[in-house]
Amino acid sequence: MSNNKDSQKDNTTSNEIGKEHGITRRKFIKNTGMIVGGVAGGSLLGGMLTNNFQAETTNSPVYEEETSTFTEARMFFTRYEDFVVLMQATERIFPEDDNGPGAIDLGVPYFIDKQLAGSWGINGSDYRKGPFPGSEPSVDTSTQTRGEIFINGLRKMNQLSHKQFGASFDDVEKNQQIDILMHFENDEVDMKGVAASDFFSLLRQMTLEGAYADPLYGGNKNMEGWKMKEFPGAVHSYEDIIENDEFIKMDPISLEDYQQG
Amino acid sequence: MATEMDKVDVVIVGSGWAGGIVAAELSKEGYRVVGLERGKDQKMEDFIGAKDELRYSSRHGMFQDLTKETITTRNTENEDALPIRSNSTNSINGTDTGGSGVHWDGATYRWWPYDFEAYSKTVEQYGEDKIPEGMTLQDWGITYNELEPYYDKFEKTAGVSGEEDPLRPGRSDEYPNPPMRGSQVTSLFKQAANELNYHPYHMPSANMSQQYENPDGETINACVYCSFCGMYGCDFGAKADPIVTVLSTAQKTGNYELRNNAYVTRVLHNEDKATGVLYVDTQTGEEYEQPADLVVLAGFTFANTRLLLLSEIGEPYNPDTGDGVIGKNLTGHFGFYGVSGFFNDKKFNLYAGAGALGATLSDFTVEQLDHNELDFLHGFEPRVVQSGSTPIGSNGVPGDTPTWGEEFKEKSLYYTNRNFGINIQVGNLPWAHNYMDLDPNYTDFIGDPLLRITCSFSDQDRNIARYSVEKSKEIMEQMGADIIEGSEITDETEFNETTLTSHTAGGAIMGDDPQTSAVNNYSQMWDMENLFVVGASSFSTFSSSNPTGTVGAVAYRAAEGMIKFLKEDGGILVEKN
Ligand SMILES: Cc1cc2nc3c(=O)[nH]c(=O)nc-3n(C[C@H](O)[C@H](O)[C@H](O)COP(=O)(O)OP(=O)(O)OC[C@H]3O[C@@H](n4cnc5c(N)ncnc54)[C@H](O)[C@@H]3O)c2cc1C
Ligand code: SF4
């Protein structure tokens, strides 16, 4: 995601924060040089400095119009009907509040969609040989892939919503959605080939991942998840603050900034 | 038919700390050494910019490829074991150049004199009756004092940054580097511990407190406390790992060749001599035979044990009779216990840290406790570690809070930098019923049986865990936490597929009697003099401290034995008892 306007803005604030705590950019660079200087040789040192600090020293152009992200389209979920259930379910797990955005605005549903479309969704690094015994296997011991489990789980949510409240999951009240999710959490739903509670914990886990993983994966939009969590992201060194007794708040740095500068 | 490669002096399975140390020592002596590593090639440049929690921590990017091989677990002999299918269930084994030593945290301890003579010392102090029935305590056939020079050597290779533990036995030399910097958390722990009259000290770490050149001439950079440490390769070459130390040393001699994607399947042998190993190139499926004068297994506890069983070397352990040795005395840190403290008015910079930046104390270790009054043997080590928290992994909330929804979001955000834990390491001692053998149902990607773990907890394990949680709560209270919660250990708490850790040992244990041990104190197989089995597989018992310091020491000792063996034309290096 390249939103120049935003990264420009973040850089200014991060400079301000740096100054506030007496860590000027110059000193930061100097310290870094001291730490790795002359050891790893030019390539590492050079790479690190440009990677980390180019953003602060070059003036990236500022575009007037909003640039589009182009990545918010579905890669895995074919039915929109399934995707809206996912959107609502993740928002109930991580709702918008006074602290900041919820799952939907953070891009969590698209994050999950992308994850399921890739190796994670097809259990690409798992041991998959049989036999697969057990009546209610966990998501990790099921014959189904994580992608299949998601589709089955979301459809089951919708079914339950129709059955219990006479409308689809995205049309019922918040507290009704919560009620349905609790049925999953407490294993009061029968899912084929996997415990409902285990599907729920995967859904919960992936919702948190989408809120807090580096934005390169499509969630944690504009690092809003990190801002709420006061997590500074891919900061290359905390040498100057590790011994500090006061809490130090910094504006976060994404891997895009870290790796490309 | 396997393609036969040119014969070399030494072939080593694995390129972690154990395999790397042996590679460096033997290639420095001029021997031609081939290393075989099942995982891919990787070097320091691969870790630059690797600050990606999802990839490395949540998805376990540096761990074993389970599509090819895994292990199975069960509690008792009359159950079918099930495979660990996903690293999300439990990630244990490293792979790729450098093994687990690349993404370790770097806490580098020595073990206690007691550990090496667990049986004799227990009997001496408390009498034979103190050892519960079924506990298979055994001496290592080497003492702490005999192993001390090798600890010293490993600490110098790894540039360990440490402060002397006031309760540990004498060291022949100081740590090569001063301790790392402290943090608000480590200071708070030390202050509380002092108030309780304990003896806190800074954890010894392989994250460098300053730039360091080791005796082999390898430079390790100064740690910048960047937080993406354990589970990650170091972005700065500032964590001692096999790549920046021993493997680099071995490469520089020109005598070491490391082959990646080389999955070893058998040790080849005639009656009593190893002749080489068989391996599969995982990128082509082709099979190769690598002949060698000396064969070294350094593939970690699981692979070492499995390769011995698959190759039919040594007598497999029989849990019913207690006969046999291969697979015996499975021990480790089975599960980590802890106490969480939530602070309502204090906020810490918890996002900053380094893998082994921490403070600990030895007041509850085996040599400090009086076991006459306790319902367990051995001891434990409570500690705070500020390894740098990352946001997916740090969502702790007090126990009465829901785990999702509005209240969860609010509280998890509030407590992100207001809660941390005291971790507790408890060494699980060996029992006759905890062992490894080959699984009859599940196979690896080429059809060979997987390794099977059979393990269950005893009252000893639960009692010591309960006691350790209770004592750690007192420390947390002294630290001023507002809400304190500890691991709950009930009579039903049991070993399961999530309990096994990368701190697992046994299977080819060390001793002075071939009847009860697989290797002698040079890690040389009693039954096959040119086969050395190196690593935690040789630990006869386990300790409360982290294992890798001892893996390093034992590997240096083994390398010395191998050189002796090659120079003196063979023979068993230690007299049998
Ligand atoms: C996240 C994490 C943090 C840790 N932190 C600490 C710590 O702070 N302190 C501490 O003391 N310990 C720690 N450990 C444990 C430590 O990493 C191990 O004790 C140590 O690395 C073991 O070294 P090794 O060489 O015996 O085994 P490994 O590092 O596992 O190396 C064995 C190598 O052999 C290869 N191999 C295995 N089977 C085959 C085969 N059939 N053919 C070819 N190659 C094979 C593997 O791929 C691997 O590369 C940690 C481990 C992990 C995973
Ligand atoms: S914390 Fe230190 S040792 Fe660990 S990865 Fe960062 S710089 Fe390397």
Side-chain angles (χ1 to χ4, degrees):
Chain A
M1 213 167 41
S2 97
N3 193 327
N4 287 308
K5 224 163 141 188
D6 266 24
S7 57
Q8 191 72 15
K9 190 184 76 200
D10 291 351
N11 290 334
T12 338
T13 15
S14 103
N15 269 335
E16 275 162 21
I17 298 287
K19 273 188 209 129
E20 207 174 290
H21 293 280
I23 314 167
T24 62
R25 189 56 54 194
R26 196 167 287 279
K27 180 158 169 250
F28 221 38
I29 294 177
K30 230 175 84 197
N31 285 346
T32 317
M34 211 167 64
I35 294 149
V36 297
V39 176
S43 72
L44 175 61
L45 181 60
M48 266 181 34
L49 290 179
T50 45
N51 286 350
N52 291 304
F53 297 109
Q54 222 167 44
E56 330 295 341
T57 49
T58 54
N59 280 325
S60 3
V62 182
Y63 297 111
E64 287 305 318
E65 321 92 278
E66 283 287 311
T67 41
S68 175
T69 56
F70 297 113
T71 51
E72 302 208 333
R74 297 189 312 280
M75 219 183 237
F76 174 76
F77 289 101
T78 48
R79 289 187 202 166
Y80 186 64
E81 186 184 303
D82 297 333
F83 192 68
V84 288
V85 177
L86 176 69
M87 287 166 82
Q88 290 303 312
T90 57
E91 184 70 19
R92 293 292 73 78
I93 290 171
F94 198 84
E96 182 179 348
D97 66 1
D98 292 346
N99 294 295
I104 293 176
D105 283 345
L106 287 168
V108 168
Y110 286 106
F111 164 88
I112 293 178
D113 177 72
K114 285 185 172 58
Q115 286 292 305
L116 295 178
S119 164
W120 178 247
I122 55 163
N123 300 53
S125 47
D126 291 0
Y127 181 77
R128 301 292 283 162
K129 281 189 165 188
F132 288 83
S135 52
E136 257 187 7
S138 74
V139 291
D140 292 330
T141 58
S142 165
T143 47
Q144 297 171 63
T145 62
R146 294 189 183 91
E148 288 174 296
I149 291 171
F150 254 86
I151 299 224
N152 288 343
L154 296 173
R155 288 186 188 162
K156 194 88 196 182
M157 269 178 205
N158 224 0
Q159 274 171 23
L160 206 66
S161 178
H162 278 288
K163 200 167 124 200
Q164 228 170 299
F165 305 114
S168 54
F169 189 80
D170 59 306
D171 280 337
V172 301
E173 298 290 321
K174 272 187 198 173
N175 53 11
Q176 293 174 322
Q177 292 176 336
I178 291 171
D179 187 71
I180 291 170
L181 289 174
M182 284 173 78
H183 279 86
F184 279 79
E185 187 187 24
N186 299 325
D187 261 332
E188 292 153 359
V189 182
D190 277 334
M191 269 181 71
K192 195 176 159 193
V194 68
S197 59
D198 223 58
F199 159 64
F200 181 80
S201 65
L202 178 66
L203 171 66
R204 173 193 177 270
Q205 178 60 25
M206 290 187 73
T207 303
L208 293 180
E209 288 171 358
Y212 296 134
D214 189 277
L216 86 91
Y217 294 100
N220 186 15
K221 231 180 177 176
N222 296 328
M223 300 185 276
E224 291 296 336
W226 288 353
K227 287 175 197 161
M228 283 187 276
K229 219 160 166 55
E230 301 180 316
F231 178 67
V235 171
H236 91 283
S237 165
Y238 293 117
E239 213 210 350
D240 287 329
I241 66 141
I242 188 70
E243 290 169 308
N244 217 304
D245 276 351
E246 286 147 60
F247 186 73
I248 296 176
K249 204 174 149 176
M250 306 179 204
D251 266 15
I253 296 167
S254 71
L255 274 174
E256 182 180 293
D257 288 342
Y258 189 81
Q259 294 181 1
Q260 292 181 23
Chain B
M1 263 306 281
T3 307
E4 192 172 328
M5 309 295 282
D6 291 338
K7 189 173 176 187
V8 292
D9 297 319
V10 186
V11 62
I12 304 173
V13 182
S15 65
W17 274 121
I21 287 170
V22 171
E25 294 306 291
L26 288 153
S27 60
K28 281 195 291 189
E29 283 292 312
Y31 296 107
R32 279 169 307 134
V33 182
V34 162
L36 299 172
E37 170 54 59
R38 68 179 169 194
K40 67 175 185 297
D41 161 54
Q42 63 182 358
K43 50 186 180 178
M44 219 174 90
E45 282 87 325
D46 290 309
F47 315 134
I48 296 180
K51 301 190 181 310
D52 184 341
E53 183 185 13
L54 187 76
R55 176 174 180 172
Y56 294 107
S57 191
S58 309
R59 301 280 180 268
H60 304 97
M62 304 194 79
F63 285 83
Q64 184 180 5
D65 171 11
L66 299 181
T67 64
K68 295 200 172 63
E69 182 198 359
T70 185
I71 49 182
T72 70
T73 69
R74 61 177 181 175
N75 288 130
T76 61
E77 266 187 82
N78 34 32
E79 296 164 40
D80 281 332
L82 291 174
I84 293 179
R85 294 189 174 277
S86 166
N87 282 322
S88 312
T89 306
N90 192 359
S91 55
I92 309 171
N93 278 304
T95 189
D96 305 336
T97 302
S100 294
V102 175
H103 55 274
W104 72 321
D105 286 289
T108 317
Y109 291 86
R110 296 178 176 204
W111 281 7
W112 298 89
Y114 167 94
D115 292 321
F116 305 98
E117 299 163 273
Y119 175 76
S120 312
K121 290 204 181 234
T122 308
V123 172
E124 186 187 301
Q125 261 177 288
Y126 305 105
E128 182 95 43
D129 290 350
K130 186 69 185 174
I131 302 175
E133 204 189 323
M135 185 185 278
T136 49
L137 283 187
Q138 214 170 290
D139 295 353
W140 294 40
I142 191 166
T143 63
Y144 171 80
N145 286 339
E146 287 165 322
L147 206 55
E148 201 281 339
Y150 306 96
Y151 271 123
D152 184 60
K153 196 159 186 192
F154 180 62
E155 286 169 355
K156 284 176 176 153
T157 296
V160 177
S161 302
E163 169 187 19
E164 196 156 338
D165 173 359
L167 300 179
R168 294 239 172 195
R171 313 168 45 88
S172 59
D173 200 357
E174 290 176 358
Y175 279 112
N177 283 305
M180 302 185 82
R181 295 180 192 197
S183 72
Q184 198 185 356
V185 170
T186 60
S187 307
L188 196 59
F189 178 87
K190 286 184 182 176
Q191 188 192 330
N194 278 322
E195 285 159 6
L196 293 167
N197 293 320
Y198 299 144
H199 302 79
Y201 69 103
H202 229 50
M203 261 169 60
S205 84
N207 320 115
M208 297 305 102
S209 58
Q210 60 187 11
Q211 187 186 308
Y212 173 72
E213 187 181 320
N214 82 5
D216 290 318
E218 308 295 341
T219 299
I220 318 175
N221 294 331
C223 170
V224 295
Y225 305 84
C226 81
S227 290
F228 292 83
C229 200
M231 311 289 278
Y232 306 80
C234 177
D235 207 334
F236 305 95
K239 171 165 68 176
D241 70 18
I243 296 177
V244 298
T245 60
V246 286
L247 292 176
S248 166
T249 301
Q251 300 284 4
K252 282 178 194 158
T253 65
N255 295 323
Y256 177 61
E257 181 197 346
L258 178 63
R259 291 186 205 138
N260 286 95
N261 313 303
Y263 179 69
V264 176
T265 57
R266 292 289 185 284
V267 176
L268 301 168
H269 56 95
N270 50 35
E271 269 309 283
D272 54 3
K273 278 256 185 167
T275 54
V277 300
L278 200 63
Y279 70 94
V280 174
D281 181 330
T282 55
Q283 296 191 319
T284 62
E286 272 176 63
E287 204 172 38
Y288 294 90
E289 188 183 326
Q290 177 60 62
D293 286 332
L294 190 81
V295 175
V296 182
L297 299 185
F300 192 62
T301 300
F302 305 116
N304 287 359
T305 305
R306 180 168 177 252
L307 283 171
L308 290 173
L309 292 167
L310 284 174
S311 310
E312 298 180 351
I313 297 170
E315 197 188 332
Y317 173 68
N318 179 339
D320 301 326
T321 61
D323 294 337
V325 286
I326 309 301
K328 180 180 160 178
N329 278 24
L330 170 83
T331 59
H333 292 141
F334 296 150
F336 295 104
Y337 305 101
V339 168
S340 310
F342 296 85
F343 294 75
N344 289 333
D345 318 310
K346 273 203 190 93
K347 225 169 151 186
F348 307 88
N349 294 310
L350 295 175
Y351 53 76
L357 166 61
T360 185
L361 47 86
S362 298
D363 297 83
F364 299 105
T365 51
V366 61
E367 292 180 4
Q368 261 61 48
L369 293 174
D370 180 356
H371 294 84
N372 283 311
E373 298 153 19
L374 298 167
D375 52 3
F376 57 83
L377 285 173
H378 218 277
F380 63 92
E381 293 174 45
R383 62 196 192 186
V384 290
V385 187
Q386 184 158 346
S387 50
S389 56
T390 41
I392 299 169
S394 317
N395 285 286
V397 286
D400 54 2
T401 317
T403 56
W404 53 280
E406 280 170 27
E407 193 185 341
F408 166 75
K409 185 180 173 194
E410 177 69 31
K411 292 236 172 103
S412 61
L413 290 174
Y414 181 77
Y415 281 117
T416 294
N417 287 300
R418 289 181 173 90
N419 94 88
F420 60 84
I422 292 178
N423 306 334
I424 308 164
Q425 275 191 167
V426 176
N428 297 78
L429 295 171
W431 294 83
H433 54 264
N434 294 340
Y435 68 102
M436 295 174 263
D437 65 356
L438 294 176
D439 192 284
N441 300 318
Y442 292 95
T443 56
D444 68 4
F445 75 116
I446 51 171
D448 280 332
L450 297 180
L451 187 75
R452 174 170 68 179
I453 306 291
T454 305
C455 187
S456 58
F457 286 157
S458 307
D459 287 342
Q460 144 88 23
D461 300 310
R462 298 186 186 97
N463 293 345
I464 189 172
R466 283 187 192 112
Y467 182 81
S468 69
V469 170
E470 197 184 305
K471 290 290 164 191
S472 304
K473 276 184 175 170
E474 291 169 16
I475 303 174
M476 189 54 98
E477 209 171 295
Q478 192 71 23
M479 286 166 76
D482 295 293
I483 304 169
I484 297 171
E485 290 170 1
S487 312
E488 306 243 337
I489 295 107
T490 69
D491 291 345
E492 277 72 50
T493 299
E494 186 51 286
F495 177 95
N496 64 40
E497 72 280 4
T498 67
T499 328
L500 214 56
T501 68
S502 58
H503 301 184
T504 299
I509 62 174
M510 191 180 281
D512 60 7
D513 177 359
Q515 287 301 313
T516 55
S517 60
V519 297
N520 61 33
N521 62 34
Y522 283 105
S523 302
Q524 179 186 33
M525 281 293 286
W526 290 118
D527 293 347
M528 198 167 280
E529 61 178 44
N530 67 336
L531 175 63
F532 286 68
V533 187
V534 187
S537 51
S538 69
F539 298 176
S540 313
T541 50
F542 216 76
S543 187
S544 44
S545 311
N546 298 52
T548 309
T550 306
V551 169
V554 160
Y556 272 114
R557 165 111 185 142
E560 189 182 292
M562 292 171 206
I563 293 166
K564 223 164 138 173
F565 178 87
L566 288 168
K567 281 204 173 132
E568 292 167 15
D569 282 334
I572 288 287
L573 298 163
V574 180
E575 227 173 276
K576 295 180 192 182
N577 196 338

